Structures are given as structure tokens and as C-alpha cells.
Amino acid sequence: MEIKPINSYNKMSKLAAEMVAEQIINKPNTVLGLATGSTPVGMYRELVRMHREGDLDLSQVKTFNLDEYLGLSPEHSQSYHYYMYENFFKYVNIREENIHIPKGNAEDPVQECLDYEKKIKGLGGIDLQILGIGVNGHVGFNEPNINLEARTHIIQLSNETITANSRFFKNLDEVPKKAITMGMATIMKSKKIILMAWGAEKKKPILKVISGPIATEVPASLLQVHNDVILIVDKKIYSFSSAINSLSYPDKI
Ligand code: GLP
């Protein structure tokens, strides 16, 4: 795992966007795995800026989002569909048919999960996956548990996640209790992964990802066995403990 401690949210966003852009320039028909939440908003803003300035053509890019709340229609203002269009898709030239987000209001959600997994496989898997991290160490919506599901599935959200995500809803009761999420195997099969973490509340899960044991109770800790993960992390929450001395990071960003 390569660790890049960064001292401002804007710099983190720029660095992540530059890495995404580089991937797209090297492989114009890249299959991108995308994340939602407040962390990647700045990265999307940067990508939109690059596109507007003529430096980034996304016309051949294909995207797969990590997750979606079960029961929310794409038009719902808190759905991840809505988020993706408002923060990114509306402003760039990714073709509609190349955008994939699990349908939260699918008639048959189990079939939706199977179809989603099939589509990812059909396009050759994900080249670059962007991840955020939940306060409890979840990625996508893979919640801490004694067992994790490998592939795209329906998951019961933990109370911790429901509480954390209630900041986007009118009240706690409005937060959906279930979601569709890529599984950990779906994510781990991505050729390259960028995990971004910003803010004090991410210190605990990030330290577990960097130096903790690999445990299904911290789903993001599984990333330690992936051979191409870049962690772009808030410098303030990054502790230079002896356990992580062997890991590489740049001198200055
Ligand atoms: C949600 C999403 C995750 C995201 C997490 C953290 O639960 N399902 O993909 O990483 O929130 O969000 P934030 O970036 O807002 O802290």
C-alpha cells in the first residue's frame, strides 16, 4: 500500500483527479469504479474542471458505482444516482449507456445484483476503483461483520452507518436501512484502487487499514492484500507509528 499524506482537502482532491485523468489518458476506454459521500466531491469537481478546460475526454470511459440505497429512486435527492449526476455526470461527456449504478428501486433487487456483477465482468472488470471509507471501516456499503459477501449483494446497514449518513437526510428515520453494494471480491478484483480519507473521524478506521490485522470487522483492512492500492490521506490523521515505518510515501506533496 502506498501512502500519500496530504495537508489540504483541495490537494487531496487534485491528486486523486490527476491519477484518474492519467489512467484515462493512458487507457481512454477505462472502466472506472466510482464512490459517493462527501470525500470525493472535490475530486469530481477537479475532473469536471479538467474536462471543461479541454484536457480530459471521457467519451469512451465506462463507470460502475459502488453502491446505492435500496428503495430510493434515481430521482430521490439523497440517492447515489442523483449525487453522481449532480456532482459529475451532468458536466462531463461520459455516455449515458456507459454509466452503471445499481438501481435502488429495481423490481427484483437480487436479480439487479446478479446483473450488475455480470456487467462488470462483461466489460473486463474495473481498471481503477475510487474508494472512501466509513467511520466503521466499511467500503462501499460492506459493513463490518464476521462474514463478508464476495459479490454485489443487498446489505443491512449498521446503526453506525445509518447515524453517520443521517446528516444528509431530514432525520434518522428517513435513512434507508438497506443498500445494494459491490462485494469485497468485486472491489478487490479492481486492477488499481485509490482510497481517500479526510477528517478526524476517519483516523480510527485508517489506522486499522494501515497497521491493523486483516479482519472482516474492518472491511477496508482487506485492502492490505491488494497489490496496487494508493491511500491518499489527511496528514493530520496519519500517525507516523513504528508499525508503518516500512511503508513508502512521498517526501512532500
Ligand atoms: C457511504 C458510502 C461509502 C463512503 C462513506 C463515507 O456510506 N457508501 O462509499 O465511502 O459513506 O462517506 P464520506 O466520504 O461522506 O465520509
PDB file of all heavy atoms in Angstrom, residues 68-73 76 78-79 104 141 143 155-158 161-163 165-166 169 171-180:
ATOM      1  N   GLU A  68     -25.738   1.772  -3.848  1.00  0.00           N
ATOM      2  CA  GLU A  68     -26.953   2.600  -3.906  1.00  0.00           C
ATOM      3  C   GLU A  68     -27.878   2.166  -2.763  1.00  0.00           C
ATOM      4  O   GLU A  68     -27.910   0.995  -2.368  1.00  0.00           O
ATOM      5  CB  GLU A  68     -27.663   2.419  -5.256  1.00  0.00           C
ATOM      6  CG  GLU A  68     -28.975   3.183  -5.428  1.00  0.00           C
ATOM      7  CD  GLU A  68     -28.847   4.702  -5.278  1.00  0.00           C
ATOM      8  OE1 GLU A  68     -28.644   5.147  -4.127  1.00  0.00           O
ATOM      9  OE2 GLU A  68     -28.965   5.415  -6.298  1.00  0.00           O
ATOM     10  N   TYR A  69     -28.599   3.126  -2.215  1.00  0.00           N
ATOM     11  CA  TYR A  69     -29.582   2.800  -1.167  1.00  0.00           C
ATOM     12  C   TYR A  69     -30.730   2.004  -1.762  1.00  0.00           C
ATOM     13  O   TYR A  69     -31.251   2.372  -2.827  1.00  0.00           O
ATOM     14  CB  TYR A  69     -30.170   4.076  -0.573  1.00  0.00           C
ATOM     15  CG  TYR A  69     -29.220   4.853   0.299  1.00  0.00           C
ATOM     16  CD1 TYR A  69     -28.746   6.100  -0.096  1.00  0.00           C
ATOM     17  CD2 TYR A  69     -28.810   4.362   1.534  1.00  0.00           C
ATOM     18  CE1 TYR A  69     -27.885   6.829   0.704  1.00  0.00           C
ATOM     19  CE2 TYR A  69     -27.944   5.091   2.347  1.00  0.00           C
ATOM     20  CZ  TYR A  69     -27.495   6.318   1.923  1.00  0.00           C
ATOM     21  OH  TYR A  69     -26.642   7.038   2.710  1.00  0.00           O
ATOM     22  N   LEU A  70     -31.111   0.963  -1.076  1.00  0.00           N
ATOM     23  CA  LEU A  70     -32.252   0.168  -1.540  1.00  0.00           C
ATOM     24  C   LEU A  70     -33.546   0.926  -1.246  1.00  0.00           C
ATOM     25  O   LEU A  70     -33.730   1.440  -0.137  1.00  0.00           O
ATOM     26  CB  LEU A  70     -32.248  -1.208  -0.843  1.00  0.00           C
ATOM     27  CG  LEU A  70     -33.189  -2.242  -1.449  1.00  0.00           C
ATOM     28  CD1 LEU A  70     -32.690  -2.692  -2.814  1.00  0.00           C
ATOM     29  CD2 LEU A  70     -33.334  -3.458  -0.538  1.00  0.00           C
ATOM     30  N   GLY A  71     -34.394   1.016  -2.260  1.00  0.00           N
ATOM     31  CA  GLY A  71     -35.698   1.656  -2.062  1.00  0.00           C
ATOM     32  C   GLY A  71     -35.726   3.095  -2.570  1.00  0.00           C
ATOM     33  O   GLY A  71     -36.802   3.668  -2.701  1.00  0.00           O
ATOM     34  N   LEU A  72     -34.581   3.698  -2.834  1.00  0.00           N
ATOM     35  CA  LEU A  72     -34.596   5.075  -3.342  1.00  0.00           C
ATOM     36  C   LEU A  72     -34.599   5.074  -4.870  1.00  0.00           C
ATOM     37  O   LEU A  72     -33.833   4.344  -5.497  1.00  0.00           O
ATOM     38  CB  LEU A  72     -33.393   5.875  -2.850  1.00  0.00           C
ATOM     39  CG  LEU A  72     -33.266   6.151  -1.353  1.00  0.00           C
ATOM     40  CD1 LEU A  72     -32.240   7.255  -1.097  1.00  0.00           C
ATOM     41  CD2 LEU A  72     -34.591   6.506  -0.698  1.00  0.00           C
ATOM     42  N   SER A  73     -35.456   5.911  -5.439  1.00  0.00           N
ATOM     43  CA  SER A  73     -35.489   6.018  -6.904  1.00  0.00           C
ATOM     44  C   SER A  73     -34.316   6.902  -7.339  1.00  0.00           C
ATOM     45  O   SER A  73     -33.802   7.686  -6.538  1.00  0.00           O
ATOM     46  CB  SER A  73     -36.812   6.654  -7.345  1.00  0.00           C
ATOM     47  OG  SER A  73     -36.795   8.005  -6.974  1.00  0.00           O
ATOM     48  N   HIS A  76     -34.544  10.531  -6.350  1.00  0.00           N
ATOM     49  CA  HIS A  76     -34.518  10.944  -4.933  1.00  0.00           C
ATOM     50  C   HIS A  76     -33.248  11.757  -4.677  1.00  0.00           C
ATOM     51  O   HIS A  76     -32.158  11.345  -5.066  1.00  0.00           O
ATOM     52  CB  HIS A  76     -34.554   9.704  -4.040  1.00  0.00           C
ATOM     53  CG  HIS A  76     -34.798  10.038  -2.599  1.00  0.00           C
ATOM     54  ND1 HIS A  76     -33.833  10.624  -1.794  1.00  0.00           N
ATOM     55  CD2 HIS A  76     -35.891   9.866  -1.811  1.00  0.00           C
ATOM     56  CE1 HIS A  76     -34.315  10.789  -0.589  1.00  0.00           C
ATOM     57  NE2 HIS A  76     -35.567  10.345  -0.569  1.00  0.00           N
ATOM     58  N   GLN A  78     -31.382  12.136  -2.266  1.00  0.00           N
ATOM     59  CA  GLN A  78     -30.299  11.507  -1.498  1.00  0.00           C
ATOM     60  C   GLN A  78     -29.835  10.191  -2.110  1.00  0.00           C
ATOM     61  O   GLN A  78     -29.035   9.471  -1.507  1.00  0.00           O
ATOM     62  CB  GLN A  78     -30.719  11.291  -0.030  1.00  0.00           C
ATOM     63  CG  GLN A  78     -30.895  12.594   0.729  1.00  0.00           C
ATOM     64  CD  GLN A  78     -29.744  13.566   0.526  1.00  0.00           C
ATOM     65  OE1 GLN A  78     -28.579  13.174   0.400  1.00  0.00           O
ATOM     66  NE2 GLN A  78     -30.049  14.854   0.454  1.00  0.00           N
ATOM     67  N   SER A  79     -30.365   9.874  -3.303  1.00  0.00           N
ATOM     68  CA  SER A  79     -29.884   8.644  -3.940  1.00  0.00           C
ATOM     69  C   SER A  79     -28.490   8.902  -4.491  1.00  0.00           C
ATOM     70  O   SER A  79     -28.117  10.046  -4.763  1.00  0.00           O
ATOM     71  CB  SER A  79     -30.828   8.218  -5.072  1.00  0.00           C
ATOM     72  OG  SER A  79     -30.666   9.089  -6.177  1.00  0.00           O
ATOM     73  N   GLY A 104     -31.643   1.274  -7.087  1.00  0.00           N
ATOM     74  CA  GLY A 104     -32.172   1.112  -5.729  1.00  0.00           C
ATOM     75  C   GLY A 104     -33.627   0.709  -5.717  1.00  0.00           C
ATOM     76  O   GLY A 104     -34.111   0.095  -4.759  1.00  0.00           O
ATOM     77  N   PHE A 141     -20.731  -0.314   0.735  1.00  0.00           N
ATOM     78  CA  PHE A 141     -21.552  -0.493   1.934  1.00  0.00           C
ATOM     79  C   PHE A 141     -21.250  -1.860   2.560  1.00  0.00           C
ATOM     80  O   PHE A 141     -22.115  -2.466   3.178  1.00  0.00           O
ATOM     81  CB  PHE A 141     -23.041  -0.360   1.616  1.00  0.00           C
ATOM     82  CG  PHE A 141     -23.579   1.035   1.772  1.00  0.00           C
ATOM     83  CD1 PHE A 141     -24.367   1.595   0.776  1.00  0.00           C
ATOM     84  CD2 PHE A 141     -23.342   1.783   2.910  1.00  0.00           C
ATOM     85  CE1 PHE A 141     -24.904   2.875   0.908  1.00  0.00           C
ATOM     86  CE2 PHE A 141     -23.870   3.059   3.057  1.00  0.00           C
ATOM     87  CZ  PHE A 141     -24.650   3.606   2.051  1.00  0.00           C
ATOM     88  N   GLU A 143     -20.366  -3.704   5.304  1.00  0.00           N
ATOM     89  CA  GLU A 143     -20.327  -3.382   6.723  1.00  0.00           C
ATOM     90  C   GLU A 143     -19.515  -4.419   7.503  1.00  0.00           C
ATOM     91  O   GLU A 143     -19.451  -5.590   7.110  1.00  0.00           O
ATOM     92  CB  GLU A 143     -21.764  -3.378   7.275  1.00  0.00           C
ATOM     93  CG  GLU A 143     -22.643  -2.298   6.685  1.00  0.00           C
ATOM     94  CD  GLU A 143     -22.402  -0.912   7.284  1.00  0.00           C
ATOM     95  OE1 GLU A 143     -21.246  -0.589   7.597  1.00  0.00           O
ATOM     96  OE2 GLU A 143     -23.384  -0.170   7.418  1.00  0.00           O
ATOM     97  N   ILE A 155     -27.418  -5.439   1.428  1.00  0.00           N
ATOM     98  CA  ILE A 155     -26.865  -5.451   2.791  1.00  0.00           C
ATOM     99  C   ILE A 155     -27.728  -4.625   3.736  1.00  0.00           C
ATOM    100  O   ILE A 155     -28.333  -3.633   3.324  1.00  0.00           O
ATOM    101  CB  ILE A 155     -25.399  -4.935   2.770  1.00  0.00           C
ATOM    102  CG1 ILE A 155     -24.738  -5.160   4.125  1.00  0.00           C
ATOM    103  CG2 ILE A 155     -25.315  -3.460   2.386  1.00  0.00           C
ATOM    104  CD1 ILE A 155     -23.292  -5.541   4.058  1.00  0.00           C
ATOM    105  N   GLN A 156     -27.773  -5.089   4.969  1.00  0.00           N
ATOM    106  CA  GLN A 156     -28.447  -4.360   6.045  1.00  0.00           C
ATOM    107  C   GLN A 156     -27.437  -3.342   6.573  1.00  0.00           C
ATOM    108  O   GLN A 156     -26.322  -3.727   6.933  1.00  0.00           O
ATOM    109  CB  GLN A 156     -28.794  -5.385   7.143  1.00  0.00           C
ATOM    110  CG  GLN A 156     -29.511  -4.842   8.342  1.00  0.00           C
ATOM    111  CD  GLN A 156     -30.997  -4.663   8.068  1.00  0.00           C
ATOM    112  OE1 GLN A 156     -31.605  -5.507   7.413  1.00  0.00           O
ATOM    113  NE2 GLN A 156     -31.549  -3.567   8.546  1.00  0.00           N
ATOM    114  N   LEU A 157     -27.797  -2.076   6.590  1.00  0.00           N
ATOM    115  CA  LEU A 157     -26.830  -1.076   7.068  1.00  0.00           C
ATOM    116  C   LEU A 157     -26.714  -1.124   8.589  1.00  0.00           C
ATOM    117  O   LEU A 157     -27.693  -1.381   9.296  1.00  0.00           O
ATOM    118  CB  LEU A 157     -27.253   0.323   6.612  1.00  0.00           C
ATOM    119  CG  LEU A 157     -27.331   0.506   5.096  1.00  0.00           C
ATOM    120  CD1 LEU A 157     -27.731   1.942   4.752  1.00  0.00           C
ATOM    121  CD2 LEU A 157     -25.996   0.168   4.431  1.00  0.00           C
ATOM    122  N   SER A 158     -25.516  -0.859   9.079  1.00  0.00           N
ATOM    123  CA  SER A 158     -25.301  -0.871  10.531  1.00  0.00           C
ATOM    124  C   SER A 158     -25.861   0.421  11.128  1.00  0.00           C
ATOM    125  O   SER A 158     -26.014   1.432  10.418  1.00  0.00           O
ATOM    126  CB  SER A 158     -23.800  -0.963  10.837  1.00  0.00           C
ATOM    127  OG  SER A 158     -23.173   0.236  10.423  1.00  0.00           O
ATOM    128  N   THR A 161     -23.571   3.346  10.518  1.00  0.00           N
ATOM    129  CA  THR A 161     -23.652   3.937   9.169  1.00  0.00           C
ATOM    130  C   THR A 161     -24.927   4.750   9.012  1.00  0.00           C
ATOM    131  O   THR A 161     -24.905   5.855   8.456  1.00  0.00           O
ATOM    132  CB  THR A 161     -23.584   2.815   8.108  1.00  0.00           C
ATOM    133  OG1 THR A 161     -22.318   2.158   8.237  1.00  0.00           O
ATOM    134  CG2 THR A 161     -23.738   3.344   6.700  1.00  0.00           C
ATOM    135  N   ILE A 162     -26.036   4.208   9.523  1.00  0.00           N
ATOM    136  CA  ILE A 162     -27.314   4.936   9.416  1.00  0.00           C
ATOM    137  C   ILE A 162     -27.176   6.285  10.125  1.00  0.00           C
ATOM    138  O   ILE A 162     -27.558   7.335   9.598  1.00  0.00           O
ATOM    139  CB  ILE A 162     -28.472   4.093   9.990  1.00  0.00           C
ATOM    140  CG1 ILE A 162     -28.693   2.863   9.087  1.00  0.00           C
ATOM    141  CG2 ILE A 162     -29.747   4.922  10.140  1.00  0.00           C
ATOM    142  CD1 ILE A 162     -29.634   1.807   9.635  1.00  0.00           C
ATOM    143  N   THR A 163     -26.565   6.269  11.303  1.00  0.00           N
ATOM    144  CA  THR A 163     -26.378   7.520  12.053  1.00  0.00           C
ATOM    145  C   THR A 163     -25.439   8.460  11.292  1.00  0.00           C
ATOM    146  O   THR A 163     -25.741   9.645  11.126  1.00  0.00           O
ATOM    147  CB  THR A 163     -25.797   7.219  13.461  1.00  0.00           C
ATOM    148  OG1 THR A 163     -26.641   6.252  14.077  1.00  0.00           O
ATOM    149  CG2 THR A 163     -25.717   8.456  14.318  1.00  0.00           C
ATOM    150  N   ASN A 165     -24.770   8.623   8.124  1.00  0.00           N
ATOM    151  CA  ASN A 165     -25.326   9.129   6.867  1.00  0.00           C
ATOM    152  C   ASN A 165     -26.609   9.937   7.061  1.00  0.00           C
ATOM    153  O   ASN A 165     -27.093  10.548   6.105  1.00  0.00           O
ATOM    154  CB  ASN A 165     -25.559   7.966   5.897  1.00  0.00           C
ATOM    155  CG  ASN A 165     -24.236   7.394   5.402  1.00  0.00           C
ATOM    156  OD1 ASN A 165     -23.167   7.790   5.870  1.00  0.00           O
ATOM    157  ND2 ASN A 165     -24.292   6.475   4.459  1.00  0.00           N
ATOM    158  N   SER A 166     -27.130   9.975   8.304  1.00  0.00           N
ATOM    159  CA  SER A 166     -28.371  10.714   8.544  1.00  0.00           C
ATOM    160  C   SER A 166     -28.151  12.218   8.353  1.00  0.00           C
ATOM    161  O   SER A 166     -29.106  12.964   8.193  1.00  0.00           O
ATOM    162  CB  SER A 166     -28.926  10.425   9.946  1.00  0.00           C
ATOM    163  OG  SER A 166     -28.034  10.910  10.918  1.00  0.00           O
ATOM    164  N   PHE A 169     -29.968  13.400   5.411  1.00  0.00           N
ATOM    165  CA  PHE A 169     -31.427  13.224   5.359  1.00  0.00           C
ATOM    166  C   PHE A 169     -32.091  14.150   6.380  1.00  0.00           C
ATOM    167  O   PHE A 169     -31.413  14.687   7.266  1.00  0.00           O
ATOM    168  CB  PHE A 169     -31.779  11.761   5.665  1.00  0.00           C
ATOM    169  CG  PHE A 169     -31.357  10.794   4.588  1.00  0.00           C
ATOM    170  CD1 PHE A 169     -30.036  10.337   4.526  1.00  0.00           C
ATOM    171  CD2 PHE A 169     -32.251  10.340   3.629  1.00  0.00           C
ATOM    172  CE1 PHE A 169     -29.624   9.445   3.540  1.00  0.00           C
ATOM    173  CE2 PHE A 169     -31.849   9.455   2.637  1.00  0.00           C
ATOM    174  CZ  PHE A 169     -30.539   9.008   2.592  1.00  0.00           C
ATOM    175  N   ASN A 171     -34.159  13.314   8.773  1.00  0.00           N
ATOM    176  CA  ASN A 171     -33.991  12.715  10.099  1.00  0.00           C
ATOM    177  C   ASN A 171     -33.564  11.257   9.954  1.00  0.00           C
ATOM    178  O   ASN A 171     -33.545  10.710   8.840  1.00  0.00           O
ATOM    179  CB  ASN A 171     -35.291  12.824  10.921  1.00  0.00           C
ATOM    180  CG  ASN A 171     -36.469  12.244  10.165  1.00  0.00           C
ATOM    181  OD1 ASN A 171     -36.435  11.083   9.730  1.00  0.00           O
ATOM    182  ND2 ASN A 171     -37.513  13.053   9.976  1.00  0.00           N
ATOM    183  N   LEU A 172     -33.269  10.656  11.108  1.00  0.00           N
ATOM    184  CA  LEU A 172     -32.739   9.293  11.122  1.00  0.00           C
ATOM    185  C   LEU A 172     -33.685   8.288  10.453  1.00  0.00           C
ATOM    186  O   LEU A 172     -33.252   7.381   9.743  1.00  0.00           O
ATOM    187  CB  LEU A 172     -32.501   8.891  12.597  1.00  0.00           C
ATOM    188  CG  LEU A 172     -31.433   7.846  12.883  1.00  0.00           C
ATOM    189  CD1 LEU A 172     -30.066   8.374  12.496  1.00  0.00           C
ATOM    190  CD2 LEU A 172     -31.441   7.493  14.369  1.00  0.00           C
ATOM    191  N   ASP A 173     -35.004   8.489  10.666  1.00  0.00           N
ATOM    192  CA  ASP A 173     -35.992   7.547  10.122  1.00  0.00           C
ATOM    193  C   ASP A 173     -35.996   7.522   8.601  1.00  0.00           C
ATOM    194  O   ASP A 173     -36.402   6.530   7.990  1.00  0.00           O
ATOM    195  CB  ASP A 173     -37.410   7.913  10.597  1.00  0.00           C
ATOM    196  CG  ASP A 173     -37.546   7.655  12.076  1.00  0.00           C
ATOM    197  OD1 ASP A 173     -36.699   6.906  12.616  1.00  0.00           O
ATOM    198  OD2 ASP A 173     -38.473   8.225  12.696  1.00  0.00           O
ATOM    199  N   GLU A 174     -35.578   8.617   7.995  1.00  0.00           N
ATOM    200  CA  GLU A 174     -35.604   8.675   6.521  1.00  0.00           C
ATOM    201  C   GLU A 174     -34.443   7.936   5.863  1.00  0.00           C
ATOM    202  O   GLU A 174     -34.451   7.707   4.662  1.00  0.00           O
ATOM    203  CB  GLU A 174     -35.571  10.133   6.072  1.00  0.00           C
ATOM    204  CG  GLU A 174     -36.913  10.790   6.170  1.00  0.00           C
ATOM    205  CD  GLU A 174     -37.053  11.926   5.182  1.00  0.00           C
ATOM    206  OE1 GLU A 174     -36.144  12.177   4.389  1.00  0.00           O
ATOM    207  OE2 GLU A 174     -38.119  12.565   5.225  1.00  0.00           O
ATOM    208  N   VAL A 175     -33.427   7.596   6.649  1.00  0.00           N
ATOM    209  CA  VAL A 175     -32.264   6.918   6.060  1.00  0.00           C
ATOM    210  C   VAL A 175     -32.652   5.477   5.730  1.00  0.00           C
ATOM    211  O   VAL A 175     -33.147   4.751   6.591  1.00  0.00           O
ATOM    212  CB  VAL A 175     -31.061   6.891   7.045  1.00  0.00           C
ATOM    213  CG1 VAL A 175     -29.808   6.338   6.367  1.00  0.00           C
ATOM    214  CG2 VAL A 175     -30.801   8.266   7.631  1.00  0.00           C
ATOM    215  N   PRO A 176     -32.465   5.053   4.474  1.00  0.00           N
ATOM    216  CA  PRO A 176     -32.787   3.659   4.137  1.00  0.00           C
ATOM    217  C   PRO A 176     -31.981   2.711   5.026  1.00  0.00           C
ATOM    218  O   PRO A 176     -30.855   3.028   5.426  1.00  0.00           O
ATOM    219  CB  PRO A 176     -32.364   3.540   2.670  1.00  0.00           C
ATOM    220  CG  PRO A 176     -32.370   4.929   2.150  1.00  0.00           C
ATOM    221  CD  PRO A 176     -31.974   5.797   3.302  1.00  0.00           C
ATOM    222  N   LYS A 177     -32.572   1.576   5.326  1.00  0.00           N
ATOM    223  CA  LYS A 177     -31.896   0.631   6.231  1.00  0.00           C
ATOM    224  C   LYS A 177     -31.117  -0.434   5.464  1.00  0.00           C
ATOM    225  O   LYS A 177     -30.376  -1.211   6.051  1.00  0.00           O
ATOM    226  CB  LYS A 177     -32.922  -0.048   7.169  1.00  0.00           C
ATOM    227  CG  LYS A 177     -33.827   0.938   7.922  1.00  0.00           C
ATOM    228  CD  LYS A 177     -33.024   1.818   8.878  1.00  0.00           C
ATOM    229  CE  LYS A 177     -33.885   2.862   9.596  1.00  0.00           C
ATOM    230  NZ  LYS A 177     -34.187   4.086   8.817  1.00  0.00           N
ATOM    231  N   LYS A 178     -31.326  -0.469   4.161  1.00  0.00           N
ATOM    232  CA  LYS A 178     -30.619  -1.451   3.330  1.00  0.00           C
ATOM    233  C   LYS A 178     -30.018  -0.776   2.106  1.00  0.00           C
ATOM    234  O   LYS A 178     -30.442   0.316   1.719  1.00  0.00           O
ATOM    235  CB  LYS A 178     -31.583  -2.540   2.857  1.00  0.00           C
ATOM    236  CG  LYS A 178     -32.035  -3.469   3.968  1.00  0.00           C
ATOM    237  CD  LYS A 178     -32.924  -4.549   3.416  1.00  0.00           C
ATOM    238  CE  LYS A 178     -33.347  -5.511   4.507  1.00  0.00           C
ATOM    239  NZ  LYS A 178     -34.211  -6.568   4.030  1.00  0.00           N
ATOM    240  N   ALA A 179     -29.083  -1.473   1.492  1.00  0.00           N
ATOM    241  CA  ALA A 179     -28.451  -0.933   0.280  1.00  0.00           C
ATOM    242  C   ALA A 179     -28.014  -2.082  -0.610  1.00  0.00           C
ATOM    243  O   ALA A 179     -27.973  -3.246  -0.177  1.00  0.00           O
ATOM    244  CB  ALA A 179     -27.248  -0.073   0.658  1.00  0.00           C
ATOM    245  N   ILE A 180     -27.717  -1.722  -1.867  1.00  0.00           N
ATOM    246  CA  ILE A 180     -27.052  -2.669  -2.776  1.00  0.00           C
ATOM    247  C   ILE A 180     -25.595  -2.230  -2.822  1.00  0.00           C
ATOM    248  O   ILE A 180     -25.312  -1.035  -2.985  1.00  0.00           O
ATOM    249  CB  ILE A 180     -27.651  -2.605  -4.196  1.00  0.00           C
ATOM    250  CG1 ILE A 180     -29.107  -3.100  -4.173  1.00  0.00           C
ATOM    251  CG2 ILE A 180     -26.815  -3.429  -5.180  1.00  0.00           C
ATOM    252  CD1 ILE A 180     -29.804  -3.028  -5.536  1.00  0.00           C
TER     253      ILE A 180
END
